[in-house]
């Protein structure tokens, strides 16, 4: 997973745009990779691209109902947008998965 590893390294350097590009390159080879999808979403979150993050995590949370992380990151994205009711609902959905 070279794109994932490069993306993580770029995130450590706070080079979020480049990290998002690396995760996207990896997703071109495996569009269902949860680590790549989450990496791209988190990079987008730090760049302030919140609506695309929410859309991506909505899709992931529908296909992987066993994961709490998409709900947590989506909840934080809603918070940044001031959409408190949606944030609370996302956090509520995450809670049973990761108490």
């Amino acid at each position: 997973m070279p794109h994932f590893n490069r993306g993580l390294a770029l995130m450590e350097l706070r080079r979020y745009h480049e990290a998002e590009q690396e995760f996207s390159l990896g997703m071109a080879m495996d569009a269902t990779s949860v680590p790549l999808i989450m990496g791209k979403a988190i990079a987008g979150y730090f760049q302030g691209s919140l609506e695309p993050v929410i859309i991506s995590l909505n899709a992931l949370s529908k296909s992987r109902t066993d994961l709490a992380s998409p709900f947590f990151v989506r909840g934080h994205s809603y918070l940044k947008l001031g959409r408190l009711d949606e944030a609370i609902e996302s956090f509520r959905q995450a809670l049973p998965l990761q108490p």
Side-chain angles (χ1 to χ4, degrees), residues 4-45:
F4 178 73
N5 292 334
R6 279 196 292 267
L8 282 182
L10 289 163
M11 293 274 285
E12 288 281 326
L13 296 170
R14 298 181 184 199
R15 293 166 53 184
Y16 302 118
H17 179 71
E18 293 170 81
E20 186 176 18
Q21 290 176 328
E22 281 298 324
F23 294 128
S24 292
L25 288 171
M27 288 173 62
M29 292 184 278
D30 182 2
T32 63
S33 168
V34 173
L36 290 168
I37 294 167
M38 287 302 302
K40 182 177 178 182
I42 293 167
Y45 173 85

Side-chain angles (χ1 to χ4, degrees), residues 32-86:
T32 63
S33 168
V34 173
L36 290 168
I37 294 167
M38 287 302 302
K40 182 177 178 182
I42 293 167
Y45 173 85
F46 282 115
Q47 291 180 88
S49 303
L50 302 174
E51 290 296 338
V53 167
I54 290 169
I55 291 167
S56 173
L57 295 177
N58 282 343
L60 181 58
S61 64
K62 287 178 185 168
S63 66
R64 291 296 308 268
T65 58
D66 60 319
L67 298 175
S69 54
F71 295 108
F72 280 123
V73 176
R74 187 177 69 185
H76 285 286
S77 298
Y78 282 133
L79 274 178
K80 271 193 162 186
L81 291 171
R83 294 162 59 179
L84 300 181
D85 290 338
E86 291 162 297

